[in-house]
Amino acid sequence: ASHARRRWTLAVPAAALGLSAGPPPLRTGGAPAAAVPAAPPPARGLSGCAISAIVLAVVAVVAVPIIAILAAIALPAYKDYTLRSKASAAIVEARTYQPQVIAFLDAQGHCPTNDDEGFLPAEQYAGQAVSSVVFGEFEGSNLCGLEATIEAPAEDNLHGYPIWLEYDSGSGTWECSSEIADKHLPVECRG
């Protein structure tokens, strides 16, 4: 007689053994299946273009007023600088005639005028920065000197204004003065 062996199976839950409850994956032969890459997580926050646009907008909002303020300060300062430069050029040009005044005063004992020998009519002294030079002793002063009229057609604050250079023979010094605003004159002519 054949004895059949009996098999006993003990049913143990898969979770108790640390296994998944589902059946194992099937193998179909050949190479193992390639892993499918996971989809990237959805983007959070702003894109690079949006951030760039925001940064540019903030810079524009901050930079434009700053540039405007600097321009409001710098442009008038530059204008004053150019006017002072033109006034200085006229004074330098007028000072070239100082030795002639001193020499005449020492030789003749009185102040020269444009009518004296060696001196020309006022307009003939016109140069780049002055339109005329008048020699003499000026009203309200007992000093010899010269009056140079500034030639600066585009500058209403300078054009046609006089600069006075007066010689004090007692001290051997020259005094400089003008009707021009002090901020447009060199320091030695302010007054």
Side-chain angles (χ1 to χ4, degrees), residues 102-138:
I102 294 171
F104 185 89
L105 179 61
D106 289 345
Q108 303 296 325
H110 64 87
C111 296
T113 66
N114 292 79
D115 295 330
D116 286 318
E117 187 177 330
F119 291 86
L120 304 170
E123 292 73 27
Q124 289 189 5
Y125 288 97
Q128 290 185 331
V130 298
S131 60
S132 65
V133 177
V134 176
F135 296 91
E137 186 176 304
F138 301 105

Side-chain angles (χ1 to χ4, degrees), residues 8-70:
W8 290 90
T9 9
L10 181 61
V12 178
L17 297 173
L19 302 172
S20 65
L26 296 175
R27 288 202 170 188
T28 57
V36 176
R44 292 185 170 199
L46 299 172
S47 71
C49 290
I51 291 172
S52 297
I54 290 171
V55 168
L56 287 174
V58 169
V59 167
V61 167
V62 172
V64 169
I66 289 173
I67 291 171
I69 290 168
L70 291 175

